[in-house]
């Protein structure tokens, strides 16, 4: 894992990121997007796990540029103040960065806030070949998910209580809007953030299954 600075059209300038994997080993790239906590150890560990399982070259952009939340109130503050269109520019920059280093196809995945941004990237970013969002749906003000044309694999819990963002009613609305080729996996007994092993809703069995599906999906489409 190495630290890099990726040139971005975001008004905040280059986006710091961590890079995992070797383009000489695999030409499949994956952008891994943070939860609302920021680019903490947990999301970096997930990126390492995903990269190793592929194998993929993975990059994790630091969308908060150094800020990491330690409690829900701080995390909500950081996410609420995020420049979402700017974050999409950061993702676009990371897609371009992977391609410049030899990746022939690039996917995007993310969790919570990163899940919403994954769908936005699929709709808005040229060069995204496949997208796998986890428990997050973007605002219609950010993007129109019906415009997504690349394959999508969605992961949600049937006990997700984050209303208007990832709860079952929001999941059904998302299904109806998607016009692309997609898979929609709903995990029984899983709440929000069920893949985060540091959180209260961690569900190891569903986490393992979702990652297996994610890797197979990217192996197929990247």
């Amino acid at each position: 894992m190495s630290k890099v600075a990726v040139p971005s059209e975001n008004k905040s300038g280059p986006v710091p990121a961590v890079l995992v994997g070797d383009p000489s080993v695999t030409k499949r790239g994956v952008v891994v997007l943070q939860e609302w906590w920021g680019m903490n150890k947990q999301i970096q560990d997930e990126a390492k796990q995903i990269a190793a399982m592929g194998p993929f070259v993975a990059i994790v952009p630091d969308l908060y540029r150094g800020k990491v939340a330690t409690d829900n109130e701080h995390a909500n503050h950081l996410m609420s103040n995020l420049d979402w269109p700017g974050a999409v520019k950061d993702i676009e920059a990371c897609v371009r960065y992977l391609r410049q280093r030899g990746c022939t196809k690039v996917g995007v995945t993310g969790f919570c806030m990163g899940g919403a941004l994954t769908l936005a990237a699929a709709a808005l970013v040229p060069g995204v070949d496949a997208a796998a969002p986890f428990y997050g749906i973007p605002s219609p003000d950010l993007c129109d998910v019906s415009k997504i044309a690349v394959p999508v694999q969605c992961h949600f819990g049937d006990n997700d209580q984050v209303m208007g963002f990832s709860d079952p009613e929001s999941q059904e609305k998302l299904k109806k809007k998607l016009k692309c080729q997609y898979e929609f996996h709903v995990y029984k007994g899983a709440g929000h953030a069920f893949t985060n092993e540091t959180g209260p809703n961690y569900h190891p069995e569903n986490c393992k299954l979702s990652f297996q599906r994610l890797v197979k999906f990217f192996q197929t489409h990247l």
Side-chain angles (χ1 to χ4, degrees), residues 192-215:
H192 191 74
F194 65 84
T195 71
N196 187 337
E197 65 179 6
T198 69
N201 292 336
Y202 179 56
H203 197 296
E205 293 83 5
N206 283 327
C207 177
K208 180 180 179 180
L209 177 58
S210 67
F211 275 28
Q212 289 171 340
R213 286 170 168 166
L214 166 74
V215 169

Side-chain angles (χ1 to χ4, degrees), residues 17 55 60 81 87 91 102 109 112 129 132 140 161 163 169 180 186 195 200 210:
V60 188
N81 285 278
I91 299 164
T109 189
C112 178
D129 295 291
Q161 302 298 316
M163 307 302 291
E169 182 178 347
C180 59
V186 179
T195 71
S210 67

